[in-house]
Amino acid sequence: MLFDKANYSPEIASLIADRLPVLGPGSPNEAVRTQLAALTIERAFAGQSIADRDAAGCCLSALWLWHDFLDESHRISQEIDELDGSYWHGIMHRREPDYGNAKYWFRRVPRHAIFEPLAAAAREQVIEAQLDEPAKFLASQKTWDAFRFVDLCEAVAHGRSRCEQLAREIARIEWQLLFDYCYRQAIGSL
């Protein structure tokens, strides 16, 4: 998947650094806290009409999450009572780590438009990887299995899988696909 931050508003693009987020909570990037705190939907999408405010709110939640501000991301995503809000909420809890709560939120996302491209991207990522048992499902899944990915992240955290780098790459792709989807939905270009 080619992710190009130039596809987004300058305000948003300035907050999408090239990084590989950790699977766990990470350490908040204090250098951007002020910029994130000042970000409103109107500023983030300046010059564009908003077709879906919930999707725009998901983008804000995602940006906080990208910079490891889990509490701030959580405050936004838990107020968005629809599919995408539940998806971001599940990702946040997976990173917390609160794996059971992550699965609760992923149960509220039985299908999503990014599941097939995410499963395909995960398959591409595993071509050269030496997979251990908890990660083998990635090579053959036809659609995304959020529950098994939660299990893989937990296995990595507890030392039962050596696929941390692979899982981080896939989590980044998941973030990128979901962010792009929400952004396009927010501006009505889906």
Side-chain angles (χ1 to χ4, degrees):
M1 184 214 142
L2 181 62
F3 183 79
D4 186 357
K5 66 182 185 176
N7 292 331
Y8 312 111
S9 71
E11 190 77 29
I12 288 176
S14 71
L15 286 163
I16 303 176
D18 185 24
R19 66 185 297 255
L20 186 61
V22 297
L23 294 176
S27 297
N29 179 2
E30 294 296 337
V32 297
R33 180 188 286 277
T34 302
Q35 187 179 359
L36 284 167
L39 196 61
T40 63
I41 289 173
E42 290 69 30
R43 285 187 70 185
F45 293 87
Q48 298 175 309
S49 61
I50 304 299
D52 185 332
R53 288 192 71 79
D54 282 343
C58 285
C59 290
L60 298 184
S61 176
L63 290 167
W64 282 103
L65 191 60
W66 186 251
H67 291 281
D68 301 333
F69 290 98
L70 275 60
D71 290 339
E72 292 81 352
S73 173
H74 185 239
R75 277 195 281 282
I76 297 168
S77 66
Q78 74 180 352
E79 296 298 321
I80 301 171
D81 191 27
E82 53 85 38
L83 196 70
D84 300 322
S86 294
Y87 201 143
W88 287 113
H89 203 157
I91 292 172
M92 188 284 308
H93 282 299
R94 184 181 71 211
R95 288 196 52 198
E96 207 167 25
D98 183 348
Y99 304 114
N101 207 0
K103 288 181 176 183
Y104 167 84
W105 288 99
F106 286 130
R107 276 192 286 283
R108 297 180 70 166
V109 188
R111 295 195 45 76
H112 197 281
I114 74 160
F115 279 3
E116 280 73 24
L118 180 54
R123 281 192 308 274
E124 286 179 24
Q125 290 292 311
V126 303
I127 289 173
E128 296 179 25
Q130 298 276 321
L131 296 180
D132 54 24
E133 189 53 45
K136 287 187 179 192
F137 77 97
L138 294 167
S140 61
Q141 65 180 348
K142 300 292 185 232
T143 189
W144 184 243
D145 189 333
F147 303 101
R148 290 185 75 185
F149 191 68
V150 169
D151 292 341
L152 175 60
C153 292
E154 184 174 14
V156 167
H158 293 137
R160 296 189 312 267
S161 174
R162 298 177 318 274
C163 294
E164 179 178 0
Q165 183 71 20
L166 175 66
R168 288 175 68 187
E169 292 283 353
I170 292 168
R172 174 172 50 187
I173 293 167
E174 177 186 40
W175 186 96
Q176 292 171 337
L177 285 168
L178 187 56
F179 183 86
D180 185 71
Y181 177 86
C182 290
Y183 187 89
R184 289 184 297 117
Q185 185 171 314
I187 63 172
S189 70
L190 277 181

